[in-house]
Amino acid sequence: MGAAAFVTASARRKPGGFTLLELLVVLLIIALLAGYVGPKLFGEIGKARSKTAASQMKSIADALDRYRLDTGRFPTSEEGLRALSVDPGDVRGWAGPYMGSEVPPDPWGAQYVFRMPGEGGKDYDLLTLGADGKPGGSGEDADIVAR
């Protein structure tokens, strides 16, 4: 009867959940993985924003070239990039809009910088000041210049 009592007692015992120690070990492993993967993931987001800005500026530069082909000149600094989507009114040959919509802000939410004429003998300057919104910088804070 002793063996029968042992089988009956263990058969009645329901399998329990996880112990507190097992849950703590799992949480520790998740925290370690997040600590390792998190910074790498955020570094990739910064690179993606920089690539997006370069791609957007390429589209803007193409629209500026089409504007120049139609009008014989680039927009003035006063007209700005808005002249690519809205008729400035007194520009002969304007056949826009040259972009599908308004010029988007850069990936950090600021407006692209457009200067006409550009520095160093360039036709124009088109750039974004990066994440910090200040000239210079490195990494995600670096300026990105078209052309």
Side-chain angles (χ1 to χ4, degrees):
M1 182 154 186
F6 177 74
V7 170
T8 309
S10 61
R12 278 187 281 153
R13 189 170 152 203
K14 296 180 181 176
F18 295 107
T19 66
L20 180 60
L21 181 60
E22 290 169 330
L23 288 174
L24 289 175
V25 168
V26 169
L27 288 175
L28 177 66
I29 291 170
I30 291 172
L32 288 172
L33 287 173
Y36 178 73
V37 173
K40 291 184 181 285
L41 179 65
F42 287 117
E44 294 300 317
I45 290 173
K47 288 178 188 175
R49 286 184 177 158
S50 296
K51 288 180 181 180
T52 299
S55 175
Q56 285 178 337
M57 286 193 299
K58 172 75 172 107
S59 295
I60 295 168
D62 290 343
L64 285 166
D65 289 338
R66 290 191 307 274
Y67 180 98
R68 185 173 143 247
L69 285 172
D70 287 348
T71 64
R73 66 174 180 84
F74 290 108
T76 64
S77 292
E78 293 77 30
E79 292 168 341
L81 297 175
R82 191 165 196 278
L84 298 175
S85 55
V86 176
D87 186 354
D90 61 345
V91 178
R92 187 181 330 182
W94 192 89
Y98 297 94
M99 295 196 65
S101 61
E102 292 280 329
V103 174
D106 70 13
W108 300 278
Q111 296 300 314
Y112 287 100
V113 176
F114 174 74
R115 292 185 293 248
M116 185 2 212
E119 296 176 356
K122 294 191 297 184
D123 292 327
Y124 62 85
D125 289 330
L126 177 62
L127 61 126
T128 179
L129 300 175
D132 64 355
K134 299 175 185 171
S138 62
E140 195 176 353
D141 294 337
D143 299 349
I144 302 170
V145 181
R147 292 188 179 202

